[in-house]
Amino acid sequence: MDNIIEIKAMNKEEAVKRALKILDGTPEQVVKIIEKKKSRSFLGFFNREGIYEIEINRNSDLSENQGIKEETNSTTNNNKNIKNTAVSEEFIVGKAQELLDRMGLDLKAEILRADEKNAVINLYGEDNGIIIGKKGKTLNSYEYLLNTLVKDIKIEVDVEGFKEKRNTTLRDLARKMAEKALKTNKPIKLNPMPPRERKIIHEVINKYPELDTYSEGRDPKRYIVIKRKK
């Protein structure tokens, strides 16, 4: 119908405004707003617009407060209720999946290996690129949040082998910067990295007897400096 339209927007108000502009209507003519898919936002790393169905009645004189009927699509209410009874593999995967669902990502979680103190989870699905983020920053944030939800065990999260590829990139970077430090005799400052990635850089540089490394700054902006020993 010409009086019904689906709009992508971050909130109801924005959806109504866009719909009225397209349908050439007025706020008083809006009679129904159906939220078909919730908008999503996660730590400022990405925003995903929701889907709203807006219906107007061009013959309606009802006010916005009196005449609008709002509905929420029940299919968006699919959050899982998980009881924290024990740190089992099922509980860990459940919490990982619950967090992914709240972020609105099309991803699944699986356990790769686990013991009493550590667990490694793999994520896979269509939204791999979103959860990884720029240089793995979103993935690091997701891993941090998951560890705050699951106590008494350290959880590492990977996305279809991304971290191993990232580790290889970091080792190559460390060797390249080591050669640069030896050639120029000047300190080399690297970009900020999380603790796990800094550890890899330190391990590689420690194999160069002429070089030393140390970290400066505070997380999340803590970075490594490589320099020749005195």
Side-chain angles (χ1 to χ4, degrees), residues 59 86 98 115-116 129 135 138 155-156 164 177 183 192 199 212-213:
N59 299 319
E98 181 182 22
D115 54 36
E116 294 181 355
K135 297 182 180 179
T138 308
I155 302 175
E156 182 179 341
E164 188 53 45
M177 293 300 100
K183 184 177 180 180
K199 182 174 181 290
D212 194 11
T213 61

Side-chain angles (χ1 to χ4, degrees), residues 45-230:
F45 290 109
F46 69 89
N47 293 311
R48 177 171 289 181
E49 293 180 321
I51 299 177
Y52 298 83
E53 183 177 283
I54 314 295
E55 180 180 352
I56 69 170
N57 184 346
R58 300 186 188 278
N59 299 319
S60 175
D61 292 323
L62 294 174
S63 68
E64 187 174 8
N65 290 332
Q66 293 173 326
I68 295 178
K69 179 181 179 182
E70 296 185 21
E71 300 178 10
T72 301
N73 193 328
S74 60
T75 59
T76 62
N77 245 347
N78 59 354
N79 291 331
K80 300 176 182 178
N81 295 319
I82 302 172
K83 294 183 179 180
N84 187 358
T85 56
V87 185
S88 64
E89 291 188 12
E90 183 180 356
F91 176 77
I92 295 170
V93 171
K95 282 297 183 184
Q97 191 64 54
E98 181 182 22
L99 189 53
L100 291 170
D101 292 343
R102 289 182 180 276
M103 294 164 63
L105 297 179
D106 185 5
L107 291 168
K108 298 296 181 184
E110 63 180 356
I111 288 278
L112 294 182
R113 55 184 179 275
D115 54 36
E116 294 181 355
K117 295 183 179 180
N118 300 278
V120 179
I121 286 181
N122 177 57
L123 306 181
Y124 62 95
E126 292 187 4
D127 289 336
N128 282 355
I130 296 177
I131 193 63
I132 290 172
K134 186 178 180 181
K135 297 182 180 179
K137 289 183 179 180
T138 308
L139 181 60
N140 290 334
S141 297
Y142 173 86
E143 183 177 280
Y144 173 80
L145 285 175
L146 184 58
N147 276 280
T148 64
L149 294 174
V150 182
K151 306 295 184 181
D152 302 323
I153 188 169
K154 179 177 174 56
I155 302 175
E156 182 179 341
V157 183
D158 200 359
V159 181
E160 298 194 47
F162 164 78
K163 280 191 174 179
E164 188 53 45
K165 295 175 184 177
R166 175 68 175 162
N167 291 349
T168 300
T169 299
L170 289 169
R171 294 186 187 103
D172 291 342
L173 174 66
R175 287 189 284 268
K176 183 178 179 180
M177 293 300 100
E179 295 300 327
K180 184 175 180 179
L182 290 172
K183 184 177 180 180
T184 63
N185 285 319
K186 294 180 180 180
I188 305 296
K189 293 182 180 180
L190 304 185
N191 291 328
M193 298 177 186
R196 185 190 68 82
E197 295 189 355
R198 294 199 304 269
K199 182 174 181 290
I200 293 172
I201 300 293
H202 286 304
E203 289 174 349
V204 173
I205 302 302
N206 283 341
K207 296 178 181 179
Y208 291 79
E210 310 97 326
L211 297 177
D212 194 11
T213 61
Y214 59 92
S215 297
E216 288 189 345
R218 293 184 177 181
D219 287 323
K221 296 184 178 181
R222 194 164 173 80
Y223 60 91
I224 287 178
V225 178
I226 305 171
K227 70 173 185 177
R228 185 184 283 273
K229 291 180 179 178
K230 295 181 179 179

